[in-house]
Amino acid sequence: MGAVRGQGVVVTGAGGGIGAALARGFAARGARVVVNDLDDARIGPLAREIGGTAVAGDASGIVDAARDALDGVIDVYCANAGLASPGDAFAEEEVWAAAWDVNVMAHVRAARALLPDWLERGGGRFVSTASAAGLLTMIGAAPYSVTKHGAVAFAEWLSLTYRHRGLKVHAICPQGVRTDMLTAAGSAGELVLAPSAIEPEAVADALFEAIDEDRFLVLPHPEVAGYYQSRAGDPDRWLGNMNQLQRTWEANGG
Ligand SMILES: NC(=O)c1ccc[n+]([C@@H]2O[C@H](COP(=O)([O-])OP(=O)(O)OC[C@H]3O[C@@H](n4cnc5c(N)ncnc54)[C@H](O)[C@@H]3O)[C@@H](O)[C@H]2O)c1
């Protein structure tokens, strides 16, 4: 609980959903919070509510402005902004590029801007809102699954490279969460995600538990640990089961 008191925290994509819940959670624990989203109208009221600062703009390029707003030091960076990007292998190049840009490269660009200061100070915390789709792969969502796997891999790489230099990394991998994104996930989301969907606040609670326990993987749906194990233990069986789900989805109209 005391781990983040007084710290300077940035949350991207905080205009609603999980990002807003993370921002409120950090503020309630005594952190000083910068909230980011593309549009000022989405974050201004939240910043006022939590006594934080709004920095509007693309999550790929806000580290300097956020650092200024936090008197020069960012302790925690939550790379949370994301794009749902449903679609299959035939999705337009632009869909693949947009998913790659927000779901992966925004994390890479932020880390590049944060690491020199963190390595010099011997500490920092990077929180990646990835997805269970980054561990398991989601039906009907190729660009999303591929880029979320990329987000998990980048978070793992950051952790294994810099943990001895004080960097803490957490990868949040929820299944369905009741936000605008779940609504936009369409019929595949309704079939796979909606039945076990949780509130954004439960995702924030799971992160704070992981911070207290100094744990990398944050699984707000605990059952994901078992799915992840069965995928690793018998990939073909797991793929067969996922294909059953695909066929059910197709039979329901896709
Ligand atoms: N809702 C779910 O079921 C679910 C499940 C697993 C993971 N996630 C992940 O959680 C994160 C938050 O999503 P959410 O569910 O709260 O949905 P959301 O749509 O409410 O929030 C995403 C926010 O990111 C913002 N955003 C998009 N591109 C941006 C950019 N380039 N710069 C700044 N902001 C940008 C959007 O404006 C939006 O406010 C995403 O990374 C998403 O992939 C969501």
Side-chain angles (χ1 to χ4, degrees):
M1 177 88 184
V4 300
R5 181 165 299 284
Q7 296 209 323
V9 177
V10 181
V11 183
T12 69
I18 296 168
L22 292 176
R24 289 192 177 99
F26 277 107
R29 287 162 177 78
R32 298 168 295 117
V33 184
V34 165
V35 286
N36 154 263
D37 211 292
L38 291 169
D39 175 2
D40 199 37
R42 299 209 59 181
I43 44 174
L46 175 63
R48 282 191 291 282
E49 175 197 320
I50 64 173
T53 309
V55 173
D58 190 317
S60 271
I62 55 130
V63 167
D64 288 345
R67 196 185 276 123
D68 288 348
L70 291 167
D71 302 326
V73 178
I74 296 173
D75 298 290
V76 182
Y77 189 91
C78 300
N80 171 79
L83 274 187
S85 315
D88 57 18
F90 303 103
E92 297 290 335
E93 287 286 324
E94 291 75 25
V95 173
W96 281 96
W100 178 248
D101 198 63
V102 183
N103 294 345
V104 180
M105 289 312 295
H107 298 206
V108 175
R109 293 178 190 123
R112 250 199 225 136
L114 291 159
L115 279 169
D117 183 45
W118 281 352
L119 297 179
E120 198 185 313
R121 289 196 296 124
R125 194 183 295 278
F126 190 91
V127 179
S128 165
T129 309
S131 171
L135 301 173
L136 299 168
T137 305
M138 169 67 181
I139 61 164
Y144 189 73
S145 298
V146 169
T147 55
K148 289 297 185 176
H149 273 258
V152 172
F154 185 64
E156 286 178 345
W157 182 85
L158 279 178
S159 182
L160 67 88
T161 305
Y162 296 115
R163 57 169 52 207
H164 67 296
R165 300 182 67 180
L167 183 64
K168 311 270 190 195
V169 184
H170 308 274
I172 310 179
C173 297
Q175 290 194 293
V177 184
R178 286 189 200 97
T179 69
D180 291 350
M181 188 175 283
L182 183 57
T183 313
S187 56
E190 268 164 43
L191 178 70
V192 181
L193 304 175
S196 60
I198 57 175
E199 296 301 327
E201 290 71 26
V203 178
D205 289 345
L207 171 65
F208 292 113
E209 209 178 284
I211 290 176
D212 284 346
E213 294 172 4
D214 203 9
R215 177 162 36 80
F216 171 80
L217 202 53
V218 185
L219 299 179
H221 298 76
E223 62 270 31
V224 168
Y227 304 154
Y228 192 36
Q229 265 178 357
S230 41
R231 172 180 176 269
D234 190 343
D236 284 293
R237 184 161 182 266
W238 179 79
L239 287 169
N241 290 339
M242 289 301 287
N243 180 246
Q244 281 294 348
L245 206 52
Q246 168 75 19
R247 285 188 279 168
T248 304
W249 182 49
E250 287 174 11
N252 290 344

